[in-house]
Amino acid sequence: MKIKYNHRLVILLVIPIFIAIVPAQQIRVACIGNSITAGAWLPNPAEDSYPAVLGVLLGPDYHVRNFGYSGSTVLKNSDSPYWEKSSYQFALGFFPDIVVILLGTNDSKPENWIFSNEFESDYIALIESFIIKNADATFILCYPPPILFDTDSEANLKNEVIPKISAVGNQTGSSVLNLYGSFENRSELYQDGIHPNEDGYQLLANLVYKRIQKLSDVIAPEVPMDFIAEGADLSVILSWSPNSEPDLGSYVLFRAESVNNVLQYLTNVVWPQVNYTDYNVVGGNPYYYSIAAMDLSGNMSVRSAVKSAIPLDTAPDTPTNFVVVSGDGHVNLSWDPSSEPDLATYILFRAEFDETMINYSTNVHMSNTTYIDNNLINGNSYYYSIAAMDKGGNMSERSAVKLGEPKDNTKPEAPTNLGVLTEFGQVVLHWDHNSEPDLKEYDIYRSINTFNSKDEAGTIGVVLKTETSFIDTDLDVYTEYFYSVTATDSSGNESDLANVVTTVTLDVENRSEEKSNSTSFIVAPNPFNSVTALFYNISKQTHVRLSVVDILGKEVCLLVDRTQKPGRYTVIWNAKDGRGNQVSAGVYLYNFTAEQKVNFGKMVYLK
């Protein structure tokens, strides 16, 4: 809810003010303002308002008077100009040496701020009216504290009143004190959203007190004692004893690069630090230093006696925490970063097989603390050491030698497109060929229960990497079997399981007599993607010839050409020609000759 200023700000609180005779040696401080200065809402403003607290803080050398008047403004064309108040006339008659002005809160009210273009000129005129009384007067212009509950007035105060007060300070050379920032987001310092409570008045008085102390201080600190300059590795370390002044702000360092040169400003070191390291030096060259102390008012002591030092240029420390981790065909190296200010590079050394033969390997940029040594031979031994080198060419001692032994620990991909065929009491598995260059073999897993891991099934066979099929004949009839395949490389890394497939075996003895005593031929699957199985049965010992031809009649490959005993047979064709090359997708014919009979059939390779 918006606070109505005519109830909150325009408080007719006027502290009785009487003209008093002030001893000539005292510094007169006049506090000009509205109800915030007057101490509105305080039970005892004569003791608890900020001017009253300020007087206690400043002590007997100062005479502080409260000339605050509730509701007053800087603007002459407002509802309550300070110019028209008796407090203003009393303040002029006080002939102040220091004038603290805290006005602008009531000016920010929308009904007053319509005359905002007159604010700066009226503020300057107010300052000039006091200069007429005392040409040496010092002015402190205060930004008012935030207004918590009136958004329109707060917006005017923050965005327009305060910038105009800053402009007045620049034009008149007055000191500006930011009370707004000290009270911002601190509602605990208010009693009603506009006027400070006792804690707020204490803070306000302390801020004004510190500013007056700063303006009044003309006494320089003592020169720092025990000033020492010592050369270190590419640096000069400066140290001194702390000063005892309560208002000390910083120490000022000066430097020259020749005894005949004038010392130039080097840097400020903020109190209470009493040391500084100068790294902007060249090893072996002499440097000359002096120091002075500066207080918060800008008063600087005389400079100390000049001290000289020559920075050193020593070799870096050996890199620490050097770690070697072996990988697949590579070794990972890492170490902690060096703290040397002039570090240039890290140097890696390596030997193969014999650590006594270790020699330079490569340089690593100073910003990196890792390196990967690639293209190594798995199973070989590699020995590593590291050193650090600075910009002057100084190299540290080498680290202890660490061993790396790269090893292939990357398992192959699981075989894909595992399929199953069942015919003549046999199970035929087929899958796509893996592409790993170090592939060694395929392992066949089987169980009578479904499984998700190798431990849940048994291995029933191994197939060389050149084959992508397997025939299982060790079967029980009317039994469901589950199969999967893995790929294993030459380092013994085994892949995950391929997709699990299942099939049920039948009783081959229950086939018809006609089928048992005659030649038969089956192709499955057909069409096929990677491999297909050709099943055939012969009733007597005979010469069998089985080949694949293209649609032009040209033989692609010869699968069987030998005498076979009576029985059932399975032949796998993996869609390759007689030279092992993959054939193109399309239509092919099988040519099966047995028992003086010729059997032709179509096969479709889809790829």
Side-chain angles (χ1 to χ4, degrees), residues 68-336:
Y69 197 100
S70 296
S72 53
T73 66
V74 171
L75 287 166
K76 295 177 180 180
N77 286 322
S78 70
D79 57 2
S80 184
Y82 186 74
W83 305 83
E84 299 176 357
K85 311 304 178 186
S86 58
S87 296
Y88 171 58
Q89 298 302 324
F90 289 136
L92 290 174
F94 185 56
F95 298 97
D97 300 298
I98 299 174
V99 182
V100 183
I101 303 176
L102 177 49
L103 288 169
T105 302
N106 293 304
D107 297 86
S108 69
K109 293 188 295 183
E111 59 267 31
N112 288 331
W113 199 241
I114 59 176
F115 302 105
S116 60
N117 60 332
E118 302 172 9
F119 183 83
E120 289 184 34
S121 60
D122 287 352
Y123 209 130
I124 292 173
L126 180 63
I127 293 172
E128 290 175 344
S129 69
F130 283 94
I131 293 175
I132 293 172
K133 298 295 183 179
N134 182 357
D136 296 324
T138 299
F139 295 84
I140 300 174
L141 315 184
C142 301
Y143 294 165
I147 301 169
L148 300 188
F149 303 120
D150 188 310
T151 55
D152 292 337
S153 296
E154 166 62 13
N156 289 336
L157 177 67
K158 181 177 182 180
N159 300 324
E160 298 189 49
V161 173
I162 287 177
K164 288 181 180 294
I165 294 175
S166 177
V168 170
N170 290 332
Q171 293 177 59
T172 62
S174 301
S175 177
V176 176
L177 179 58
N178 184 9
L179 299 181
Y180 187 96
S182 297
F183 280 78
E184 191 173 18
N185 300 319
R186 298 193 65 183
S187 59
E188 75 277 7
L189 297 175
Y190 289 82
Q191 55 182 318
D192 60 0
I194 296 173
H195 302 92
N197 55 25
E198 290 187 14
D199 289 339
Y201 278 117
Q202 285 285 341
L203 173 62
L204 200 162
N206 273 285
L207 294 170
V208 176
Y209 166 73
K210 291 179 180 178
R211 180 56 56 88
I212 291 174
Q213 287 292 97
K214 182 176 181 180
L215 295 173
S216 304
D217 184 9
V218 293
I219 301 175
E222 295 291 329
V223 62
M225 303 296 290
D226 304 320
F227 183 52
I228 298 173
E230 295 180 303
D233 183 24
L234 284 179
S235 63
V236 173
I237 300 173
L238 307 173
S239 62
W240 55 92
S241 297
N243 279 44
S244 60
E245 291 83 1
D247 63 337
L248 192 70
S250 64
Y251 299 97
V252 186
L253 291 169
F254 302 87
R255 188 186 80 171
E257 298 182 14
S258 170
V259 68
N260 298 319
N261 291 352
V262 176
L263 274 75
Q264 302 292 328
Y265 168 79
L266 175 63
T267 190
N268 273 54
V269 177
V270 178
W271 180 89
Q273 184 174 331
V274 290
N275 55 69
Y276 177 78
T277 302
D278 185 9
Y279 291 107
N280 188 24
V281 295
V282 177
N285 291 355
Y287 292 86
Y288 303 86
Y289 298 89
S290 181
I291 189 172
M294 180 178 289
D295 64 21
L296 295 173
S297 299
N299 302 301
M300 188 167 68
S301 74
V302 297
R303 298 181 186 178
S304 70
V306 175
K307 303 289 184 177
S308 64
I310 300 176
L312 308 176
D313 189 4
T314 59
D317 291 331
T318 302
T320 59
N321 198 26
F322 184 49
V323 178
V324 175
V325 178
S326 301
D328 185 357
H330 67 272
V331 169
N332 295 319
L333 310 174
S334 65
W335 55 93
D336 289 342

